[in-house]
Amino acid sequence: MDIIFYHPTFDTAYWLKALSAAVPGARVREWKRGDNDHADYALVWHPPVEMLQGRDLKAVFALGAGVDSILSKLKAHPEMLPEHIPLFRLEDTGMGEQMQEYAVSQVLHWFRRFDDYQALKQQARWEPLAEYQREDFTVGILGAGVLGSKVAEALAPWGFPLRCWSRSRKAIPNVTSFAGAEELPAFLKETRVLINLLPNTAQTAGIINGALLSQLPDQSYLMNLARGVHVIEPDLLAALESGKLKGAMLDVYSKEPLPPESPLWAHPRVAMTPHIAAVTRPAEAVAYIARTIGQLEAGEAASGQVDRQRGY
């Protein structure tokens, strides 16, 4: 069995060694331009077209939860990955736990009004504030897939009213499920904290815009943990200036790295991190890939396969 690996920033030596140990008998190599030798499986992140085209692969693994970079290239180069070759993404591999940590810590930060106390601190003002009430602090999660359901699971013990919105109705304990475009307004109406964990598809690009934000209660919060393309940044800034939004926590942006001239940097009610909410944990990713390859070799069903029509 031959496995080719390409990632522009990962520690390639670690991955080659770990994969060789996890898939006994496999010949694992780093793909470099000009390498057209045989391969059964490809592990990739933002792969060049020439890496995949013309290969009769058994499967391709995207080394992250998103596959939008591959699917976007397929629009211009469909020969890069024919339909019969399955594409897999990393459904969790430690990312769920990281998303839980990020979301819970930030929801509690807002709920305990630490953002307000930090602003008061800048003014040297000693001023105890009235507490928020849990029953008024509804958390709504856009996207109820693996990561969205994990975040809901972590928030449940804190007693906040929880709701989710997705393409189809979900059954998540202690979470009210809304589904489809017709139920989006009802989902937004009482959502005080909006957490975005949607996949990046043609239908979700630009979904968090002025029209959507206007349907939230006044003084709401936005947390974007999915993709920058989901948020129309000028509309976000307008909502902050109008008071519709009280604050935003952003991990992803329309352009990355975020340009120095972006007004998001200087906005006092925008907190930011550099796309680190959930990163691929190599050991867990290698274990998932090895297990999935074993299932495919045995002719068994495997989880994580991407539906190319849906985009995730």
Side-chain angles (χ1 to χ4, degrees), residues 171-212:
I172 305 174
N174 305 308
V175 179
T176 302
S177 176
F178 295 79
E182 66 281 358
E183 294 186 13
L184 183 57
F187 164 81
L188 296 167
K189 185 177 180 181
E190 295 178 5
T191 292
R192 184 71 185 279
V193 177
L194 182 65
I195 302 176
N196 179 38
L197 282 164
L198 287 168
N200 180 12
T201 68
Q203 292 71 38
T204 62
I207 190 173
I208 302 176
N209 52 35
L212 181 142

Side-chain angles (χ1 to χ4, degrees), residues 209 230 261:
N209 52 35
H230 290 135
E261 63 272 17

Side-chain angles (χ1 to χ4, degrees), residues 211-232:
L212 181 142
L213 295 171
S214 70
Q215 298 176 67
L216 295 169
D218 292 342
Q219 297 286 285
S220 293
Y221 299 92
L222 171 68
M223 192 186 314
N224 190 14
L225 305 181
R227 286 289 186 270
V229 70
H230 290 135
V231 176
I232 304 299

Side-chain angles (χ1 to χ4, degrees), residues 2 11 16 41 59 71 77 148 182 203 225 230 237 273 312:
D2 293 295
D11 181 350
L16 298 185
Y41 297 95
L71 296 181
H77 302 279
E182 66 281 358
Q203 292 71 38
L225 305 181
H230 290 135
L237 290 164
T273 49
Y312 57 94

Side-chain angles (χ1 to χ4, degrees), residues 1 40-41 58 291-300:
M1 180 193 302
D40 296 291
Y41 297 95
K58 295 181 180 180
R291 181 174 65 253
T292 304
I293 287 177
Q295 291 170 328
L296 295 175
E297 290 291 307
E300 301 171 358

Side-chain angles (χ1 to χ4, degrees), residues 4 24 44 51 64 77 100 147 175 185 208 227 249 263 269 297 307:
I4 51 176
V44 302
M51 178 186 181
H77 302 279
Q100 289 176 324
L147 297 179
V175 179
I208 302 176
R227 286 289 186 270
M249 182 76 209
R269 287 182 286 120
E297 290 291 307
D307 182 327

